[in-house]
Amino acid sequence: MILVHLASSWPDVLAHSRTAAEVTLSAWAQISDDRLRQYGDAVLGVYQKEVVTAFDITGWSRTREGRVVFEGNPSRRWAHLIGTPNPGKPWVRGQARPVQYLDTAILASGAVPVEDAASGRRAVVDDFILTVDAEGSATLVVPSGRRVTVITTPVS
């Protein structure tokens, strides 16, 4: 998955002078062919630390300057991420490259070591404890002062 920072272009969408597809799929610099092969399944647009667009990449081309222009469709698979926090690293002011790469498996599988416990299956990530019982109900223990965002997705 490719994450693109829409800091300067998303205001055009809000002003109705450009479309979400234009600003998300438009010409992105310094993306290698290897990165496209490895991460080029989807592109998320991020504005002010939040996902604002999600597209499945169906193809791409290069401009004369070597910038990548994506072809894509609004993503049904990743649409649930719209309105959620950036799943990548925070962008910092003055950062030269507004592109990040994220292994889609991180969002798709969320694989962490799981142990069997008396109360169900249990996983611990950064002091967050998630337990899922035999009926599929979940309990989450959250460290003090931390925040939780709940995202529901359609059952596949």
Side-chain angles (χ1 to χ4, degrees):
M1 178 174 291
I2 298 173
L3 310 176
V4 293
H5 195 209
L6 304 177
S8 60
S9 57
W10 192 251
D12 294 341
V13 175
L14 297 175
H16 305 290
S17 61
R18 295 174 73 189
T19 68
E22 284 177 291
V23 300
T24 305
L25 302 174
S26 67
W28 296 100
Q30 299 179 356
I31 301 176
S32 70
D33 289 355
D34 287 340
R35 293 284 191 162
L36 287 167
R37 279 189 289 279
Q38 186 173 356
Y39 298 102
D41 59 334
V43 60
L44 297 182
V46 178
Y47 178 68
Q48 294 186 347
K49 302 178 185 175
E50 185 175 292
V51 176
V52 293
T53 62
F55 288 88
D56 293 322
I57 297 172
T58 58
W60 58 272
S61 61
R62 289 200 183 269
T63 66
R64 287 184 208 170
E65 299 80 25
R67 291 177 174 264
V68 173
V69 177
F70 296 110
E71 298 167 19
N73 300 310
S75 179
R76 295 177 69 191
R77 181 177 186 195
W78 304 112
H80 68 278
L81 295 175
I82 295 173
T84 66
N86 173 12
K89 297 176 184 173
W91 272 281
V92 295
R93 185 177 295 268
Q95 187 173 356
R97 296 193 61 219
V99 176
Q100 294 182 25
Y101 307 97
L102 184 65
D103 187 339
T104 304
I106 291 170
L107 295 174
S109 67
V112 297
V114 176
E115 61 187 43
D116 289 320
S119 56
R121 299 188 61 197
R122 180 178 181 267
V124 179
V125 178
D126 295 335
D127 297 326
F128 286 76
I129 303 169
L130 174 65
T131 305
V132 180
D133 67 21
E135 287 79 41
S137 295
T139 302
L140 179 63
V141 178
V142 180
S144 178
R146 302 294 297 273
R147 187 173 61 147
V148 174
T149 301
V150 177
I151 301 168
T152 59
T153 59
V155 177
S156 317

